[in-house]
């Protein structure tokens, strides 16, 4: 070590005098001074070099050794004094090798330092650099974790060594470039290299070889195409060795991938098995979603068969990932998968078909057949884009998952069958409870119709009852959607309709496809409901025909199996027994009702007879004094010629006497027995007479307009003209008096169905204040009135007249919206009811 102690300025002067790279490092390894040559070598300004550790500019692989050597020198340990060789790197990424000679220095203050003189090593031969690069790349292949990683590292290493390189794969009939670029023109040399297992050089149009084909081997038939100025037969052994290293790395990565794939497949299958074995089996869509996730597929589809024939084409039952219109692509692999055991892969032509049918979404597929008991029950298939084709491992995994899918479908089928049987049992119990607790035929039929729809899983149910007198089947009930429509259906027993055949043959008849069947069926049902399949069942009790049950399916043709028909027959037997019991009950109830009605009529007649006798006595005793009062009032007016209060009092006596006389007349009308004599009458004339008379009597402050509308064809209606006129008159008087400020009374007469038969309906509508809801039910009670001058017998007389005509009257009203009285009179009845 020199005894001179250098200052920083002296060091800088010393260092700057050198043209080669020189620097001074203090005892802590920090660059104190560096000259321009060293800074230029690093590609940095001097200011960014000084003040940093000299190890920052050494290759990472050499830092530990250099740090240890520096410490030894600083502590005075004896070392080899020869120049040291190490690598440095510049900020541009370039590396270089330096010979460094270290000389110790003493700084002011007694500090230790090293003067490092550097000499750049001359450039090595190109062959050696290339060989080292290939060796470094070979070392890097060990850390590649996948086949694609090995290929990527190998190509990058060749390019770093100055070559252009591609990987070509032989597929039995053609070469494919891994990177998707165009193939070389002389690929026949690649096939020669692959066949002979040796490098083959190309570039026949040049004086020296321009490229070489190096067989890689590995799990796939691959060849390295290498081009560059260094390619020559004398270097073939180096390139061949590198290709073999690449092949070995590919084989090792493939082996590791296979092992990892196998472990993953076992775990995936075990996880799917646990998924299938849940207490409640998941839906197929959930299973397919798991399959899509495992196979990284864009879509997974399940096709199933109904088990009706060997040549049946499976239908799409569930899917995930299919968009509208792309479901047609699932038919490409169906035929191939039905012929093969295990998984199948799409061919090149099938890939093109998938791409065309899915508008480019799919280009590769794999499918596996589902079998149960040796029979095909469906197909499961997975679809991907053409850029990520499936391989044999994917097909094998899908075939294994297909077995689990069969187990899942069978579990769901068994569970559904158990649920169906439980539902049927519950429904049968509900029907038994309902029919045992209901003794009305109509209610039983409505309940049974809805019940059979749920029990048999059909679209509609219709029940026809046999009319023995007319020899026809009449629509009696239907499931909720078509009850009103079906009640009008009549099927003659001598027709060729399916319902008539069921009634005559007393056995079930099924038509699986109505569009192609020759069996005659009611056109109303087919045209209105769009029926596709039909099943007819007889209703019998003790060998007696009660009716026919029809169940249909509008979803499509459907076979009615023996189990379903047996279940339907058992239900119809219970239904027939319930109907027979209900009819017995209804017959007994009708007898009791008739007896009660007869008794009530007798009591009513006795009451009216007593009331009539009393009314006659009262009328006789009251009208005699009334006659005297009328004569006295008339005489007083003639003699006295009264005015003022006297005239007012005489008017009051006359009005009250007249009211008393009308009350007596109404009482006599109400109690007087009368049997209507029915004759065809002109309805319009009767209406006009009644309302003209009412308008004349019930005069109001303002005029009331009456509009009468009669349906064409109702010119002659059987009635007792005098009585009906009286009834209309009473209602019309009330309507006019309800509008003292004037208004309109609308009268409309038309045919209408009421009580199961066609009748005459007359509506009288006024615009008055209406009747309060709490009083509406009392308007037909005798002696009930809300008028100050009323007797309360007018509407009671109307009700009695209509009852004697075997008709009805009803009233609807709401405060502020007027009142409507509705008359119903039979259009056909005997001319005399006496």
């Amino acid at each position: 070590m020199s005894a001179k102690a250098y200052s920083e300025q002296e060091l800088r002067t010393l260092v700057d005098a050198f043209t080669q790279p020189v620097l001074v490092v203090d005892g802590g390894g920090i660059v104190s001074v560096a000259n321009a040559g060293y800074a230029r070598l690093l590609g940095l300004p001097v200011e960014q070099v000084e003040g940093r550790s000299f190890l920052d500019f050494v290759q990472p692989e050499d830092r530990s050794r250099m740090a240890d050597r520096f410490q030894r020198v600083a502590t005075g340990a004896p070392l080899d004094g020869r120049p040291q060789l190490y690598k440095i790197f510049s900020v541009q990424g370039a590396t270089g090798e330096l010979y460094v000679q270290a000389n110790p220095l003493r700084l002011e203050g007694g500090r230790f330092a090293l003067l490092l003189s550097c000499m750049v090593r001359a450039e090595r031969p190109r062959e050696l650099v290339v060989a080292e690069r290939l060796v470094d790349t070979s070392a890097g292949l060990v850390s590649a974790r996948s086949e694609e990683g090995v290929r990527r590292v190998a190509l990058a290493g060749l390019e770093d060594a100055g070559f252009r390189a591609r990987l070509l794969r032989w597929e039995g009939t053609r070469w494919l470039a891994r990177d998707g670029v165009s193939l070389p023109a002389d690929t026949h040399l690649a096939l020669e290299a692959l066949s002979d297992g040796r490098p083959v050089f190309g570039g026949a149009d040049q004086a020296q070889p321009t490229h070489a084909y190096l067989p890689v081997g590995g799990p796939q038939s691959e060849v390295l195409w290498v081009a560059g100025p260094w390619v020559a037969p004398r270097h073939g052994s180096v390139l061949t060795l590198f290709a073999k290293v690449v092949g070995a790395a590919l084989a090792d990565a493939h082996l590791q991938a296979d092992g990892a794939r196998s472990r993953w497949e076992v775990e995936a299958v075990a996880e799917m098995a646990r998924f299938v074995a849940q207490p409640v089996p998941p839906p197929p869509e959930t299973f397919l979603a798991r399959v899509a996730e495992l196979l990284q597929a864009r879509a997974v589809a399940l096709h199933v068969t109904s088990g009706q024939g060997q040549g049946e084409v499976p239908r799409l039952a569930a899917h995930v990932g299919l968009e509208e219109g792309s479901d047609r692509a699932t038919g490409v692999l169906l035929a191939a998968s039905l012929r093969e055991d295990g998984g199948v892969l799409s061919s090149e032509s099938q890939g093109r078909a998938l791409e065309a049918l899915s508008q480019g979404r799919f280009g590769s597929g794999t499918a596996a057949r589902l079998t149960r008991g040796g029979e095909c029950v469906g197909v499961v298939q997975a679809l991907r884009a053409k850029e990520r084709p499936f391989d044999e491992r994917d097909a094998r995994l899908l075939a294994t998952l297909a077995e689990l899918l069969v187990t899942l479908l069978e579990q769901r089928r068994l569970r559904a069958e158990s649920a169906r049987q439980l539902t049927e049992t519950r429904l049968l119990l509900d029907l038994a409870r309902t029919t045992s607790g209901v003794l009305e035929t109509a209610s039983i039929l409505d309940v049974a119709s809805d019940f059979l729809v749920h029990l048999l899983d059909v679209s509609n149910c219709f029940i026809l009852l046999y009319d023995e007198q007319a020899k026809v089947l009449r629509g009696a009930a239907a499931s909720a959607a078509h009850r009103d429509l079906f009640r009008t259906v009549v099927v003659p027993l001598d027709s060729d309709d399916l319902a008539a055949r069921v009634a005559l043959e007393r056995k079930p008849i099924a038509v699986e496809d109505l569009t192609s069947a020759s069996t005659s069926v009611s056109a109303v049902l087919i045209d209105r409901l769009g029926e596709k399949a039909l099943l007819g069942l007889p209703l019998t009790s003790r060998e007696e025909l009660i009716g026919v049950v029809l169940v249909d399916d509008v979803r499509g043709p459907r076979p009615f199996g023996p189990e379903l028909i047996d279940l339907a027959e058992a239900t119809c037997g219970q239904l027939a027994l319930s109907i027979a019991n209900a009819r017995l009950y209804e017959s007994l109830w009708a007898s009791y009702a008739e007896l009660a009605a007869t008794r009530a009529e007798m009591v009513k007649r006795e009451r009216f007879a007593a009331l009539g006798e009393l009314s006659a006595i009262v009328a006789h005793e009251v009208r005699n004094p009334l006659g005297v009062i009328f004569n006295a009032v008339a005489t007083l007016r003639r003699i006295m010629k009264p005015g003022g209060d006297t005239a007012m009092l005489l008017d009051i006596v006359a009005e009250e006497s007249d009211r008393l006389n009308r009350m007596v007349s109404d009482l006599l009308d109400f109690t007087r027995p009368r049997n209507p004599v029915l004759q065809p009458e002109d309805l319009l004339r009767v209406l006009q007479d009644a309302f003209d008379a009412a308008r004349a009597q019930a005069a109001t402050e303002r005029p009331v307009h009456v509009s009468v509308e009669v349906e064409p064809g109702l010119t002659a209606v059987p009635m007792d003209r005098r009585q009906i006129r009286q009834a209309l008159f009473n209602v019309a008087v009330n309507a006019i008096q309800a509008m003292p400020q004037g208004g309109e009374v609308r009268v409309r007469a038309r045919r209408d169905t009421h009580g199961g038969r066609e009748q005459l309906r007359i509506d009288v509508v006024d615009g008055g204040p209406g009747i309060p809801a709490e009083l509406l039910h009392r308007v037909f009670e005798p002696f009930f009135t809300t008028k100050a001058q009323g007797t309360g017998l007018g509407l009671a007389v109307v009700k009695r007249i209509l009852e004697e005509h075997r008709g009805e009257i009803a009233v609807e009203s709401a405060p502020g919206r007027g009142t409507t009285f509705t008359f119903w009179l039979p259009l056909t009845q005997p001319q005399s009811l006496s």
Side-chain angles (χ1 to χ4, degrees):
M1 176 183 297
S2 174
K4 178 179 174 57
Y6 290 89
S7 66
E8 181 179 350
Q9 184 60 40
E10 291 174 333
L11 284 177
R12 190 169 299 281
T13 302
L14 175 64
V15 168
D16 288 342
F18 292 95
T19 58
Q20 73 269 22
V22 177
L23 68 157
V24 176
V25 179
D26 64 13
I30 303 301
V31 179
S32 298
V33 179
N35 69 354
Y38 188 74
R40 188 166 50 253
L41 184 66
L42 298 178
L44 293 171
V46 173
E47 295 79 9
Q48 295 184 20
V49 176
E50 295 177 347
R52 295 174 60 180
S53 172
F54 80 98
L55 294 175
D56 290 347
F57 310 111
V58 178
Q59 284 287 87
E61 295 87 349
D62 213 16
R63 286 177 184 169
S64 298
R65 185 180 71 87
M66 294 298 292
D68 188 39
R69 182 175 180 82
F70 179 78
Q71 292 297 327
R72 289 175 179 271
V73 172
T75 56
L79 295 175
D80 186 354
R82 290 177 296 177
Q84 298 295 312
L85 179 66
Y86 70 97
K87 289 183 178 181
I88 64 170
F89 61 92
S90 67
V91 294
Q92 288 81 14
T95 59
E97 291 183 324
L98 298 178
Y99 286 106
V100 179
Q101 179 68 48
N103 296 297
L105 294 174
R106 185 178 301 278
L107 302 178
E108 290 179 343
R111 292 179 294 145
F112 170 80
L114 283 178
L115 175 68
L116 302 180
S117 299
C118 304
M119 183 178 66
V120 179
R121 184 179 179 182
E123 186 175 353
R124 292 172 298 164
R126 173 67 177 167
E127 289 84 352
L128 181 59
V129 174
V130 170
E132 288 182 353
R133 296 285 174 83
L134 294 181
V135 170
D136 291 342
T137 302
S138 299
L141 293 174
V142 177
S143 60
R145 298 182 178 274
S146 64
E147 294 180 63
E148 288 302 320
V150 169
R151 296 185 182 98
R152 187 167 54 252
V153 170
L155 294 176
L158 286 169
E159 290 178 1
D160 189 44
F163 296 102
R164 290 179 291 118
R166 300 179 196 168
L167 268 170
L168 309 179
R169 185 177 79 247
W170 177 249
E171 289 198 339
T173 58
R174 60 174 183 164
W175 287 99
L176 289 179
R178 280 278 180 185
D179 49 8
V181 299
S182 59
L183 293 171
D186 55 355
T187 51
H188 63 282
L189 298 178
L191 190 59
E192 180 183 343
L194 185 65
S195 302
D196 296 345
R198 58 178 176 79
V200 175
F201 293 87
D205 57 339
Q206 302 292 329
Q208 297 292 332
T210 58
H211 58 275
Y213 292 97
L214 308 175
V216 172
Q220 300 182 3
S221 300
E222 293 184 80
V223 169
L224 260 175
W225 176 87
V226 180
W230 192 69
V231 173
R234 66 180 181 275
H235 303 135
S237 57
V238 176
L239 296 174
T240 301
L241 178 61
F242 179 74
K244 290 184 179 297
V245 172
V246 173
L250 285 173
D252 184 61
H254 183 74
L255 183 62
Q256 292 183 18
D258 273 351
R261 170 83 183 207
S262 298
R263 291 191 297 273
W264 173 79
E265 286 184 1
V266 171
E267 293 174 357
V269 171
E271 195 273 336
M272 291 295 283
R274 290 192 295 271
F275 177 70
V276 170
Q278 296 180 68
V280 178
E285 289 80 4
T286 307
F287 185 91
L288 297 182
R290 293 283 187 99
V291 173
E293 182 180 351
L294 288 174
L295 294 178
Q296 297 182 348
R298 281 191 173 183
V300 179
L302 169 65
H303 290 72
V304 298
T305 63
S306 60
Q308 295 184 4
Q310 292 289 339
E312 180 187 1
V313 178
R315 61 176 179 83
L316 182 63
H319 68 85
V320 293
L322 288 180
E323 297 179 352
E324 185 177 357
S326 64
D327 55 344
R328 294 182 300 163
T330 60
V332 173
L333 293 178
L334 273 182
S337 59
L338 291 173
R339 294 191 301 266
E340 300 289 338
D341 290 330
V344 298
L345 294 170
S346 59
S347 63
E348 184 177 350
S349 61
Q350 288 172 334
R352 289 194 297 269
L354 285 171
E355 190 174 7
L357 291 174
S358 65
Q359 299 178 349
R361 289 193 70 230
F362 311 128
S364 175
T366 179
R369 185 172 61 171
L370 307 179
T371 58
R372 183 175 63 236
E375 295 184 0
C376 176
V377 296
V379 171
V380 60
Q381 56 182 293
L383 303 173
R384 279 185 191 163
K386 68 176 181 179
E387 293 80 10
R388 298 184 64 251
F390 290 103
D391 56 24
E392 293 292 342
R393 297 174 301 177
D394 296 323
R396 201 166 49 244
L397 176 59
L398 183 62
T400 303
L401 296 177
E403 297 178 7
L404 292 176
L405 181 55
V406 171
T407 303
L408 172 64
L409 295 177
E410 182 65 12
Q411 287 179 347
R412 289 183 61 83
R413 187 188 68 81
L414 294 174
R415 188 177 181 86
E417 180 68 19
S418 300
R420 185 187 64 81
Q421 293 177 356
L422 179 61
T423 301
E424 289 177 358
T425 303
R426 288 176 175 172
L427 287 172
L428 288 172
L429 289 174
D430 290 342
L431 179 64
R433 283 194 294 265
T434 303
T435 54
S436 62
V438 177
L439 292 175
E440 296 179 359
T441 303
S443 300
I444 291 175
L445 294 179
D446 287 341
V447 170
S449 301
D450 294 334
F451 167 80
L452 284 169
V453 168
H454 295 291
L455 180 65
L456 305 180
D457 187 26
V458 293
S459 301
N460 303 292
C461 174
F462 309 99
I463 301 177
L464 302 98
L465 295 182
Y466 177 51
D467 186 341
E468 188 173 3
Q469 292 183 348
K471 302 298 181 184
V472 297
L473 295 168
R474 298 186 185 277
S479 48
H482 304 291
R483 280 184 181 145
D484 294 336
L485 164 68
F486 196 70
R487 287 193 176 97
T488 61
V489 174
V490 177
V491 179
L493 208 61
D494 56 357
S495 68
D496 60 350
D497 192 272
L498 181 138
R501 286 180 51 201
V502 171
L504 292 174
E505 297 177 16
R506 308 287 179 90
K507 67 178 183 181
I509 298 178
V511 182
E512 297 181 1
D513 189 355
L514 286 171
T515 58
S516 59
S518 59
T519 304
S520 176
V521 182
S522 173
V524 174
L525 300 181
I526 295 179
D527 296 341
R528 295 283 295 274
L529 307 182
E531 292 182 319
K532 302 297 188 302
L534 190 64
L535 171 64
L537 302 145
L539 286 174
T540 57
S541 178
R542 300 183 183 90
E543 302 301 324
E544 177 185 353
L545 178 65
I546 293 178
V548 171
V549 173
L550 299 175
V551 294
D552 68 15
D553 204 318
V554 302
R555 294 167 291 190
R558 170 182 176 176
F560 296 97
E563 295 181 358
L564 185 141
I565 293 178
D566 290 343
L567 178 62
E569 282 190 295
T571 308
C572 288
Q574 174 67 31
L575 176 59
L577 181 61
S578 300
I579 293 174
N581 292 338
R583 284 181 171 178
L584 290 176
Y585 172 79
E586 289 174 353
S587 177
L588 181 61
W589 181 256
S591 299
Y592 279 121
E594 184 178 355
L595 180 61
T598 302
R599 183 171 178 272
E601 183 64 25
M602 290 178 62
V603 171
K604 181 179 177 182
R605 287 182 178 273
E606 289 296 329
R607 284 181 177 175
F608 274 120
L611 185 58
E613 184 177 352
L614 178 61
S615 299
I617 295 173
V618 170
H620 177 73
E621 295 299 329
V622 170
R623 277 184 169 171
N624 286 336
L626 282 177
V628 174
I629 292 172
F630 284 139
N631 291 333
V633 170
T635 303
L636 288 173
R637 283 177 174 166
R638 187 176 61 253
I639 296 173
M640 298 175 58
K641 301 192 184 304
D645 292 342
T646 303
M648 182 186 68
L649 292 175
L650 287 175
D651 289 341
I652 291 174
V653 171
E655 288 177 3
E656 293 301 319
S657 299
D658 185 60
R659 188 167 77 87
L660 186 58
N661 186 52
R662 286 200 311 274
M663 186 179 297
V664 171
S665 298
D666 289 345
L667 184 61
L668 289 174
D669 287 340
F670 180 70
T671 58
R672 183 183 298 118
R674 49 197 155 201
N675 292 322
V677 178
L678 304 181
Q679 297 293 337
E681 298 289 350
D682 186 340
L683 178 60
L684 180 59
R685 182 178 176 184
V686 173
L687 292 172
Q688 289 176 341
D689 288 349
F691 279 87
D692 288 345
R695 192 160 42 188
Q697 175 172 318
T700 59
E701 296 179 1
R702 296 185 181 180
V704 174
H705 174 68
V706 178
S707 63
V708 179
E709 178 186 346
V710 178
E711 179 183 322
L714 286 176
T715 54
V717 179
M719 66 177 71
D720 186 314
R721 182 176 183 278
R722 184 183 61 81
Q723 293 185 15
I724 295 300
R725 180 184 180 279
Q726 179 65 40
L728 291 168
F729 173 83
N730 290 356
V731 172
V733 168
N734 285 349
I736 294 172
Q737 290 178 347
M739 298 185 295
Q741 303 302 319
E744 181 183 10
V745 177
R746 300 189 305 277
V747 184
R748 185 172 65 170
R750 66 185 188 278
R751 291 182 178 86
D752 193 12
T753 301
H754 181 70
R757 58 177 178 168
E758 191 176 48
Q759 299 197 34
L760 170 64
R761 174 173 176 167
I762 302 174
D763 292 321
V764 180
V765 184
D766 66 54
I771 304 173
E774 63 272 13
L775 302 179
L776 198 60
H777 67 286
R778 300 189 59 193
V779 295
F780 297 111
E781 292 181 7
F783 307 108
F784 173 77
T785 181
T786 59
K787 301 177 183 177
Q789 302 296 326
T791 63
L793 291 172
L795 292 179
V797 170
V798 174
K799 187 173 186 297
R800 183 174 180 189
I801 290 173
L802 287 173
E803 288 176 349
E804 289 170 348
H805 277 73
R806 297 182 182 177
E808 295 180 34
I809 185 172
V811 60
E812 292 182 5
S813 183
R817 291 188 292 178
T819 303
T820 300
F821 282 90
T822 301
F823 292 59
W824 278 287
L825 287 172
L827 284 173
T828 57
Q829 57 181 341
Q831 292 189 353
S832 177
L833 301 177
S834 55

